[in-house]
Amino acid sequence: MCYVPYRENIASLLKAWLWDVPVSQAHQHSTGKLHWEPQCQYQLRHLQDSARISALLPPRLEGHWISTGCEVRPGPEFLTRSYLFYSNRLFKAYQFYYWDPSCHNPSHSLVIKGKLRLRQASWITRGATEADYHLHKVGIVFHSQRAMQEISARINQTSEGGCSGFFPPGRSWAPGVLYEVLSAKEGRDCTTALGFAMHELSLVRVEKHYEPLLQTQPSGSRTVEELYLGDIHTKWSERLHYRPTGYQRPLQSAVHHAHPCPACGIIYRSDEHHPPILPAKAELPMQLSGRWVSAHCEVRPAVLFLTRYFIFHGNSRTWEGYYYHYSDPLCKQPTFTIYASGHYTKGIPSSIVRGGTELAFKVTCARVTAMDQVTVTMLNSSEPGTCGETGFWSAGMEQDITLTNGCLALGIRLPHTEYELFKMEQDMKDRSLLFIGERPTDGSSPDRPEKRPTSYQAPLIQCAGATGVFSKHISPRYLGKEDNNGNEALKPLGFPCITCLIMYDVYCAYTS
């Protein structure tokens, strides 16, 4: 089935497109949210409020940076991190690994020591700084007999670097004992069997933003500093050689972090002998409905900056997604927008990633809006019949690409099925979070069950519950506009062509 959200009566359709007039600045809340403005649209607009976000160039790394919760890496691997950078360019990094997705049951800890030198601004990833690093030592501490047996067996099978027989067979686990698996001084490196690399240090970005204080506190804001390090390749065999072009989930400053953050204090006080044990979390049921939006400007490998907005209709298991693409790391300069829709299967618990739910999503319809001249030129140069109507692309005008089975120039193929991994959580502010599977690093699609993700992208925040009203969204060309009084305003999109919508619905029903 090809889902199109225009099956409302004409009166409801027209009413939904009549936007109210925003009130004056004097009557708005201090948060900057317009009285009439829906939460999802406010969140999308707020993502472009670059006055609240600044990137420190060159980045200042000196200090203590910590995870704000349990992280999931491809594999899957569950871990928390605690990194200390010193003024003399030395660093000490802790990586704590776990058996479970709550980071409650520790497996082993790594303590990594070395030296880092910042270089120049990245030529590939805008807003990032490239760095060189050198490892001096890597030590491992096991937190159970099982962990020691499994990891030592992998290391003993490694032939290079004098690692074969590193752990004598039958050695019993001794709590607190540190084994040195890498030593630059002795020329030994037995970390390959662990899939270990610190290439994340080769790409660095530090952001500072301002978080509004809780309502119970005096007005104002709190500074939050985040450290973005290079992403981990989604394919295990590639991670030892991969040089990052995207980021992982950011670490936050131990001094300037978001509040509340119960995990921050636990991780801050931990070391390799005393790993952080986070509270066990109940797994939330996958009730996929409502509207979800990005919390930040997101970065994907191959230099893609974007924000996402999804609408799920749980009763019919249909979905809509808006992907707003940009050319800059603050998501201020739009390049193109993709709208896609389709349906999805009932989720089943993942047998590979604990706490995750496996689904299959079918994309049946898509539309593209070019937002800058570079994209317009590219699409107008595409082969006829491969991406909408070649020669008719113009900035700000949307084209349906369903008839051409997608858009070859943008890598979109229709119809298309993707095998996904979802997870729901609740943060400390009682907001519902939706984690969607991490995209393959090589830019391909998870179009086969064996390519299903084992880790997650940055979470989406629920901005509205289930609704029967058809979806409407903010076009990037209207964000940041001002009204006659100099206040920020959102202008309405033009009225939809009712006949066009009906004909489009008939076409999708016919072709599904």
Side-chain angles (χ1 to χ4, degrees):
M1 139 178 208
C2 177
Y3 176 75
V4 183
Y6 302 124
R7 295 172 177 159
E8 315 296 332
N9 59 59
I10 301 298
S12 298
L13 186 62
L14 294 176
K15 182 178 179 181
W17 278 78
L18 291 174
W19 289 28
D20 297 320
V21 178
V23 296
S24 68
Q25 189 75 21
H27 296 289
Q28 293 175 14
H29 294 297
S30 59
T31 60
K33 183 177 185 296
L34 306 177
H35 279 309
W36 55 267
E37 190 176 17
Q39 181 63 33
C40 297
Q41 295 171 347
Y42 165 71
Q43 178 70 15
L44 282 169
R45 182 171 63 87
H46 192 64
L47 288 174
Q48 295 194 326
D49 186 5
S50 60
R52 300 181 65 85
I53 303 175
S54 60
L56 306 180
L57 293 173
R60 185 181 177 186
L61 300 183
E62 183 179 342
H64 195 169
W65 304 85
I66 53 177
S67 300
T68 56
C70 193
E71 302 176 10
V72 185
R73 282 184 175 179
E77 291 180 329
F78 308 110
L79 79 158
T80 57
R81 295 177 290 160
S82 177
Y83 291 4
L84 296 95
F85 295 93
Y86 303 103
S87 57
N88 59 359
R89 299 192 298 181
L90 294 176
F91 69 86
K92 180 167 67 172
Y94 296 108
Q95 293 182 354
F96 308 102
Y97 292 83
Y98 303 82
W99 299 109
D100 65 298
S102 295
C103 290
H104 183 73
N105 185 12
S107 164
H108 62 281
S109 299
L110 298 180
V111 55
I112 306 131
K113 297 181 180 180
K115 195 167 190 176
L116 181 74
R117 181 175 68 90
L118 296 177
R119 295 172 59 203
Q120 71 277 345
S122 173
W123 288 86
I124 300 176
T125 307
R126 282 188 63 183
T129 299
E130 295 178 354
D132 290 327
Y133 72 93
H134 179 69
L135 297 182
H136 297 161
K137 294 180 180 180
V138 176
I140 186 170
V141 175
F142 302 106
H143 303 305
S144 69
Q145 180 70 35
R146 174 190 169 192
M148 182 173 184
Q149 288 176 341
E150 291 187 8
I151 296 174
S152 62
R154 298 208 308 260
I155 293 178
N156 285 342
Q157 292 173 2
T158 306
S159 57
E160 68 269 9
C163 301
S164 179
F166 182 75
F167 290 98
R171 175 179 289 185
S172 60
W173 169 57
V177 175
L178 186 144
Y179 301 92
E180 199 170 84
V181 291
L182 182 149
S183 172
K185 186 176 181 180
E186 298 179 12
R188 180 178 64 251
D189 183 359
C190 300
T191 61
T192 302
L194 302 174
F196 169 82
M198 285 298 287
H199 298 327
E200 61 188 279
L201 295 179
S202 62
L203 196 69
V204 178
R205 177 178 171 87
V206 174
E207 282 188 4
K208 179 186 292 186
H209 62 89
Y210 301 93
E211 177 186 71
L213 297 177
L214 300 176
Q215 293 181 351
T216 56
Q217 297 175 286
S219 61
S221 60
R222 175 189 292 109
T223 301
V224 176
E225 294 183 358
E226 294 185 319
L227 171 61
Y228 289 83
L229 297 175
D231 62 306
I232 308 299
H233 202 287
T234 52
K235 195 173 182 179
W236 181 278
S237 60
E238 298 292 332
R239 64 163 58 182
L240 298 181
H241 314 287
Y242 171 66
R243 294 294 171 173
T245 56
Y247 302 116
Q248 297 176 71
R249 176 174 171 173
L251 302 175
Q252 291 192 359
S253 166
V255 178
H256 302 291
H257 62 79
H259 290 265
C261 180
C264 292
I266 299 173
I267 298 171
Y268 173 78
R269 292 187 294 269
S270 301
D271 59 31
E272 68 270 33
H273 303 294
H274 308 90
I277 298 177
L278 304 188
K281 286 186 176 181
E283 295 181 8
L284 298 182
M286 180 57 61
Q287 297 176 341
L288 203 53
S289 63
R291 299 168 182 246
W292 306 78
V293 68
S294 295
H296 305 283
C297 180
E298 300 171 7
V299 184
R300 287 184 183 171
V303 203
L304 292 176
F305 305 103
L306 78 159
T307 58
R308 297 172 292 154
Y309 174 38
F310 285 93
I311 306 102
F312 298 100
H313 307 273
N315 291 336
S316 58
R317 289 197 200 129
T318 53
W319 67 279
E320 306 165 66
Y322 296 90
Y323 305 82
Y324 304 96
H325 290 257
Y326 302 85
S327 62
D328 67 299
L330 291 179
C331 290
K332 293 285 287 181
Q333 300 166 19
T335 53
F336 62 93
T337 296
I338 299 172
Y339 166 84
S341 65
H343 54 271
Y344 58 92
T345 62
K346 183 179 180 180
I348 60 172
S350 173
S351 59
I352 299 175
V353 184
R354 283 184 56 188
T357 299
E358 296 180 353
L359 306 97
F361 277 73
K362 188 165 186 177
V363 188
T364 49
C365 298
R367 305 194 295 267
V368 171
T369 305
M371 300 304 299
D372 67 350
Q373 196 55 46
V374 173
T375 306
V376 169
T377 302
M378 177 188 70
L379 296 180
N380 278 328
S381 302
S382 60
E383 286 289 325
T386 63
C387 187
E389 294 189 62
T390 302
F392 288 88
W393 290 97
S394 61
M397 296 300 294
E398 184 179 75
Q399 272 210 49
D400 181 6
I401 60 171
T402 309
L403 285 168
T404 53
N405 296 321
C407 179
L408 188 61
L410 296 177
I412 303 172
R413 181 167 50 86
L414 297 174
H416 180 67
T417 299
E418 294 196 345
Y419 295 87
E420 270 294 358
L421 180 75
F422 277 41
K423 178 181 70 168
M424 281 188 174
E425 285 187 1
Q426 220 169 12
D427 67 9
M428 298 310 299
K429 297 179 181 178
D430 291 328
R431 298 179 302 182
S432 294
L433 305 179
L434 176 63
F435 293 81
I436 298 178
E438 187 173 1
R439 305 296 297 180
T441 305
D442 61 9
S444 64
S445 170
D447 54 3
R448 300 191 304 274
E450 59 268 25
K451 294 185 69 175
R452 192 186 302 272
T454 56
S455 56
Y456 302 99
Q457 301 177 54
L460 303 171
I461 299 175
Q462 186 169 27
C463 54
T467 175
V469 179
F470 82 95
S471 66
K472 60 177 185 259
H473 72 287
I474 299 176
S475 171
R477 65 182 181 276
Y478 291 119
L479 294 173
K481 300 289 185 181
E482 294 183 350
D483 60 19
N484 294 331
N485 298 319
N487 301 320
E488 275 199 355
L490 292 173
K491 298 182 179 180
L493 301 175
F495 284 100
C497 167
I498 303 302
T499 303
C500 297
L501 301 181
I502 296 173
M503 292 301 295
Y504 184 71
D505 199 0
V506 171
Y507 164 75
C508 288
Y510 176 76
T511 57
S512 59

